[in-house]
Amino acid sequence: MKLLSALFLLKATGASAFSITSFAPAGINQCTTIKTTSTSSTCLFAKKKAGKKKTASKSGGGFGASSTTTATKKSSKKSGKSKGNLLSTLNDESSTSKQSKKSKGGTTYVKSEQDALLAQLAASASQSPIGAAVASSPLHGTPEADPFWELIPSLIQSKFPNLRNEQLGRVAGFAKHTLDENLPLEDSIVNDKWRPHEDMHAYMPGLGETKAFHDPSQLELCKKLSENIDTIEQEYEALLEDMEGNGKKDRFQSVTSMNYDAGWKTLVLFYNGHRIKDFPYHLCPVTTKIMESVPLAGRIAGFNRQQSQSGIPLHSDGNNMWLTTQMGIKVPEGEKAYIHVGPETRQYSTVRWKKGECLLYDTTYEHETFNESEDEERVVLHVDFFNTIAMTKVEIDIMRYIYKIREDFMRAEGVAKVGAQIL
């Protein structure tokens, strides 16, 4: 894993070409474990169980998938001044020194220099709140430690070099809870019967009080969606038409078996917060632009269809950093489709929830849906996004980076993730 970690650090921070042979210890491989929840496509963090002490897990909190590490050697030719060269920047090399190290196949560094510079960065990063959080893990410094999290403090310091320690406190808390499942949750979660704390798998402490439903008018996202309902509906119809005919791809799918069984399928526009390759975004430019105006979270965003006489059973999603909004696109008449969140119930209907109105809710509360209509489906635009009400922009930027890097890390390990059919 030393090979993968070092190569990944250089790749993630934008370093130029380098020799992989100088890193390669013989016979290295590493396995991690993937976990999924009922509605999220990829569960990135460990479930937390209250009242029962757990043995620390090698998988680093369910933030991966079973795999065998493989390294693919690539060569690239570069000319001119290199950009984002981490090794040169850390070593403060002069222009003359950089030029003397250039070769036709790229830049080759000596193993001792690589090790020293990586150690230098790791030592500096270990002094940050996130570094201290990782160091507090029960498995830190042992062969069972999750290599991803061992690397995260260095990656974050490289990506966000000018942050103050006080800006990192809650992210550090998230890291501590991810790496130690025995840490207690806040009383506001444990004592709330509508928020099953045993399902919590991704937890940031200190976000304050929340509630099942939030006022959608406080978010610009919801205002933009409602103002553009007619255009969004037209774009949805255009996407449906694009799937018609022989040889056309049916883009509706379900990320989990529960959704299949529950009659819920999604036309996915974004997965893990990013666009999907070869998706016809030119058919839905307004919808896409509005959705990209918020920090999309590491789940799905798209159009959800709920068949008549079907529903999603009661569950919670276990990530307190995300909120969900849904806007009615096609809703059955007569208050026959509803969502129940915590102690409250809201209707997907032309009476109590008109087409074009948004619901904004917290999925750490248990929730369920049902479409009682005999012959009408229910369609909503579903958007999961980071909680811009409670989290700072810095915290959201760091968390989006962690999710992105984790996905890259898993790909580097050759992981076949849940939801890979989308990508």
Side-chain angles (χ1 to χ4, degrees):
M1 186 50 65
K2 182 179 180 183
L3 166 64
L4 178 58
S5 298
L7 295 183
F8 185 80
L9 174 58
L10 293 173
K11 174 182 179 296
T13 51
S16 60
F18 47 88
S19 167
I20 67 171
T21 56
S22 61
F23 279 103
I28 295 294
N29 65 46
Q30 178 73 28
C31 294
T32 51
T33 304
I34 194 164
K35 296 181 181 179
T36 61
T37 56
S38 56
T39 57
S40 62
S41 53
T42 304
C43 176
L44 299 180
F45 309 102
K47 283 190 174 183
K48 301 190 70 64
K49 302 290 186 182
K52 181 179 180 181
K53 188 171 182 179
K54 291 186 175 181
T55 303
S57 170
K58 183 178 179 179
S59 66
F63 202 2
S66 180
S67 70
T68 299
T69 301
T70 59
T72 302
K73 185 173 182 179
K74 297 182 180 180
S75 62
S76 62
K77 294 183 179 180
K78 304 186 79 173
S79 60
K81 186 176 180 181
S82 67
K83 296 181 179 180
N85 190 323
L86 172 65
L87 296 177
S88 297
T89 301
L90 290 176
N91 207 31
D92 196 23
E93 292 182 326
S94 66
S95 299
T96 302
S97 175
K98 291 178 185 177
Q99 290 296 328
S100 67
K101 287 190 176 184
K102 283 184 178 287
S103 64
K104 192 171 183 180
T107 304
T108 301
Y109 296 94
V110 179
K111 180 179 184 300
S112 60
E113 291 180 351
Q114 295 167 336
D115 288 347
L117 291 168
L118 291 173
Q120 178 184 343
L121 179 60
S124 176
S126 68
Q127 303 303 311
S128 72
I130 297 175
V134 172
S136 71
S137 165
L139 297 179
H140 175 67
T142 72
E144 289 75 28
D146 185 336
F148 172 79
W149 280 103
E150 295 292 300
L151 197 57
I152 273 294
S154 297
L155 289 174
I156 291 177
Q157 180 146 319
S158 295
K159 180 70 174 178
F160 306 95
N162 299 318
L163 295 182
R164 304 183 305 276
N165 284 348
E166 54 266 29
Q167 294 176 287
L168 302 175
R170 295 196 297 198
V171 178
F174 156 77
K176 291 182 70 173
H177 279 271
T178 300
L179 293 168
D180 187 351
E181 297 180 350
N182 296 312
L183 290 180
L185 299 175
E186 292 168 295
D187 289 343
S188 61
I189 294 179
V190 176
N191 296 332
D192 191 334
K193 67 178 182 179
W194 305 106
R195 301 175 77 190
H197 52 272
E198 65 273 10
D199 292 343
M200 196 68 65
H201 60 78
Y203 174 70
M204 179 177 285
L207 293 184
E209 296 297 322
T210 186
K211 50 190 174 182
F213 284 99
H214 292 264
D215 179 4
S217 66
Q218 64 186 305
L219 291 185
E220 189 66 22
L221 166 67
C222 296
K223 295 177 184 178
K224 289 180 179 178
L225 290 176
S226 295
E227 290 170 357
N228 290 275
I229 176 57
D230 292 336
T231 300
I232 292 172
E233 184 178 13
Q234 292 169 6
E235 293 181 350
Y236 171 69
E237 295 292 344
L239 290 170
L240 292 182
E241 291 177 8
D242 186 62
M243 292 185 284
E244 296 176 354
N246 294 332
K248 294 288 188 176
K249 180 179 180 180
D250 182 1
R251 297 183 180 276
F252 277 97
Q253 52 191 297
S254 184
V255 180
T256 70
S257 59
M258 182 194 76
N259 290 352
Y260 276 123
D261 297 339
W264 177 309
K265 290 187 179 182
T266 302
L267 175 55
V268 182
L269 274 68
F270 294 88
Y271 178 75
N272 278 351
H274 57 70
R275 291 192 179 196
I276 300 166
K277 183 180 180 182
D278 298 327
F279 188 89
Y281 289 102
H282 64 283
L283 297 177
C284 53
V286 173
T287 306
T288 300
K289 182 177 180 180
I290 294 174
M291 293 173 76
E292 289 185 325
S293 70
V294 296
L296 297 172
R299 288 192 293 197
I300 58 171
F303 293 99
N304 284 346
R305 303 172 83 169
Q306 183 77 63
Q307 297 174 3
S308 59
Q309 291 292 297
S310 68
I312 297 288
L314 194 67
H315 67 282
S316 65
D317 293 345
N319 188 322
N320 76 327
M321 295 175 288
W322 297 343
L323 291 177
T324 295
T325 189
Q326 291 182 345
M327 181 177 73
I329 304 297
K330 295 182 180 298
V331 290
E333 297 285 345
E335 300 185 8
K336 292 184 178 180
Y338 65 84
I339 182 170
H340 180 93
V341 183
E344 301 182 58
T345 299
R346 301 289 174 94
Q347 301 293 329
Y348 295 118
S349 71
T350 55
V351 177
R352 293 188 59 185
W353 188 34
K354 297 178 181 179
K355 184 179 77 173
E357 289 187 353
C358 291
L359 294 180
L360 178 63
Y361 58 97
D362 183 339
T363 60
T364 62
Y365 287 86
E366 59 182 15
H367 53 286
E368 61 184 338
T369 70
F370 200 81
N371 180 7
E372 297 174 334
S373 173
E374 297 290 338
D375 54 8
E376 293 182 79
E377 69 175 2
R378 183 231 61 191
V379 179
V380 297
L381 180 62
H382 177 109
V383 185
D384 292 321
F385 60 100
F386 281 96
N387 187 344
T388 54
I389 298 173
M391 296 172 67
T392 68
K393 183 179 184 304
V394 166
E395 290 169 340
I396 292 173
D397 288 345
I398 294 174
M399 290 309 307
R400 295 183 79 183
Y401 179 66
I402 289 175
Y403 274 83
K404 176 185 180 301
I405 290 299
R406 185 57 176 183
E407 187 174 356
D408 290 344
F409 194 84
M410 293 166 71
R411 282 174 172 165
E413 290 189 307
V415 172
K417 299 194 323 308
V418 171
Q421 73 276 13
I422 298 174
L423 302 175

